[in-house]
Amino acid sequence: MGNVILDVRGLTTKYITRFNEGVYAVDNVSFTLEEGKSLGIAGESGCGKSTLALSLMGYYFPPLHYMSGDIIINGRNISQMAPDDVRLKVLGTEIAYIPQAAMNALNPTQRIIRFVEDVIQAHDPKASKKDIYDLARQRFEILNLSPDVLQKHAVELSGGMKQRTVIAISTILSPKVLIADEPSSALDVSSQKMVIRMLRDLMEMGYIKCMIFITHELPLLYNVTDDIAVMYAGQFVERGTAKEMVFDPLHPYSKGLMESIIVPEAGTREIKLAAIPGTPPNLKSPPEGCRFAARCKYAQPMCQSSSIRFLELDNARNYRCILPEVELREAYGRE
């Protein structure tokens, strides 16, 4: 086992509505991430991916509230730290975040250099403008951005340039962990490939130690990450290598996700896409047993009531189900 940079243990966070109802968007999530590794998190909209990203930052804003669990980054448990300490000592340096719709995250009235100055001076008030500019120029050039971009406003940049600019600003302090929340969703294919390649380059150069890449597209993660975790109704339901999860998913939900994706290969035009029936459970009062049971065609009576634990396989792969691997494969083979 390599050097563990991020260790998440039983993390539970919820939204509290104005009627004082709790919505458990992240429920008892645990995983580790080693130096040099990348983890993809996939799942349908509303499964808790982005809430997990925000929770991992350790900086909670109502209606999101921390409930329990540990978030240990580079040996430091940030889950009990005060928000101001998290902002000054953790965000940007230990963990950084590229948000959804990152292209709209830049204030159009400010020049790009001002964002860089704000990030660096928040952690080092004595940093000179020359040192800041030199660091920014170096990082922007690595991401194939001209230093001239630093003097421009966001409205003067193309979509791909905006995305790379946000990546440069997010990683300017070389964080240990980078969370990229659907960073390529609004880009064309060529720009997506460029962004993905640059994120991997930043890891290889050591500017970031490990990465979490969030998307709803499992095949995309095959080209980006080492491992993939599938999330459903606030919980991880399966984790394995990218190859295993894309070509040999075990959990019925993971399998359903893959079967519902359009594959642009010859001879697949006439293949009817599979659909997962039903809807996700209400996370104000999640079911006692398997959260996918009501939509699963392999469900058994005990799935509705029993506590579902992870089944560990020999190769460190795991999935949340009562059915052993052999029985699942037999059921899939009969279809």
Side-chain angles (χ1 to χ4, degrees):
M1 188 173 183
N3 180 29
V4 174
I5 300 296
L6 177 63
D7 185 2
V8 180
R9 305 174 185 174
L11 180 62
T12 298
T13 62
K14 70 178 181 180
Y15 292 101
I16 298 179
T17 71
R18 61 193 179 97
F19 301 109
N20 203 33
E21 297 172 312
V23 179
Y24 286 85
V26 175
D27 193 359
N28 196 27
V29 170
S30 300
F31 66 94
T32 59
L33 191 54
E34 299 174 11
E35 183 174 349
K37 297 294 185 179
S38 55
L39 172 66
I41 300 178
E44 61 193 333
S45 296
C47 71
K49 303 186 301 295
S50 294
T51 302
L52 175 60
L54 293 174
S55 300
L56 292 175
M57 301 291 288
Y59 200 57
Y60 302 99
F61 293 96
L64 180 61
H65 294 263
Y66 165 83
M67 300 305 295
S68 61
D70 297 309
I71 306 166
I72 302 170
I73 303 175
N74 208 30
R76 175 192 290 179
N77 193 336
I78 71 169
S79 57
Q80 302 297 330
M81 292 176 64
D84 286 344
D85 288 338
V86 171
R87 180 174 58 82
L88 294 174
K89 301 176 182 179
V90 176
L91 299 184
T93 55
E94 297 293 318
I95 188 168
Y97 179 53
I98 301 172
Q100 284 193 44
M103 290 186 295
N104 299 322
L106 300 171
N107 186 331
T109 67
Q110 300 287 342
R111 297 185 188 276
I112 301 303
I113 188 62
R114 288 289 298 134
F115 298 107
V116 180
E117 291 173 350
D118 287 346
V119 170
I120 295 177
Q121 289 178 339
H123 295 272
D124 183 8
K126 296 181 180 180
S128 69
K129 290 195 173 184
K130 181 182 182 305
D131 290 341
I132 293 173
Y133 178 82
D134 289 343
L135 177 60
R137 177 178 53 79
Q138 177 194 47
R139 190 61 55 86
F140 274 51
E141 287 177 344
I142 289 173
L143 295 175
N144 289 333
L145 288 167
S146 167
D148 294 342
V149 170
L150 292 166
Q151 302 304 327
K152 294 181 181 293
H153 295 82
V155 294
E156 301 177 80
L157 307 179
S158 67
M161 292 174 70
K162 286 180 185 177
Q163 190 70 298
R164 282 178 282 156
T165 295
V166 172
I167 292 172
I169 295 170
S170 298
T171 61
I172 198 72
L173 295 175
S174 300
K176 304 292 189 306
V177 183
L178 177 66
I179 303 174
D181 192 354
E182 304 212 35
S184 59
S185 60
L187 302 175
D188 58 73
V189 174
S190 59
S191 295
Q192 283 185 350
K193 291 176 65 176
M194 181 181 296
V195 166
I196 289 169
R197 185 175 66 249
M198 289 176 178
L199 288 172
R200 296 187 69 89
D201 287 346
L202 287 172
M203 281 191 62
E204 291 174 3
M205 294 177 186
Y207 290 115
I208 54 179
K209 298 297 183 184
C210 56
M211 179 175 65
I212 296 174
F213 194 103
I214 297 174
T215 183
H216 59 274
E217 301 178 62
L218 266 172
L220 174 64
L221 293 176
Y222 176 68
N223 298 302
V224 181
T225 62
D226 300 298
D227 295 337
I228 296 175
V230 171
M231 194 169 188
Y232 179 77
Q235 297 179 332
F236 281 1
V237 296
E238 185 175 0
R239 178 175 177 176
T241 67
K243 184 176 181 179
E244 289 170 337
M245 297 299 293
V246 171
F247 295 105
D248 186 30
L250 270 179
H251 192 278
Y253 176 66
S254 304
K255 183 174 173 61
L257 278 185
M258 282 305 303
E259 291 178 345
S260 65
I261 293 172
I262 297 175
V263 180
E265 300 292 343
T268 61
R269 172 179 283 186
E270 303 303 323
I271 297 177
K272 184 178 179 179
L273 293 179
I276 300 175
T279 58
N282 185 342
L283 293 183
K284 292 179 184 178
S285 54
E288 182 179 345
C290 175
R291 296 188 177 181
F292 187 62
R295 306 174 69 185
C296 180
K297 56 185 174 181
Y298 312 105
Q300 301 179 7
M302 67 180 67
C303 297
Q304 303 276 0
S305 58
S306 302
S307 177
I308 309 298
R309 62 181 180 87
F310 275 105
L311 295 180
E312 302 281 349
L313 303 185
D314 292 339
N315 59 354
R317 185 179 183 183
N318 57 56
Y319 65 101
R320 188 188 295 269
C321 188
I322 64 168
L323 293 178
E325 177 187 5
V326 173
E327 292 187 27
L328 277 176
R329 293 194 185 282
E330 288 178 352
Y332 298 156
R334 290 192 293 268
E335 296 180 348

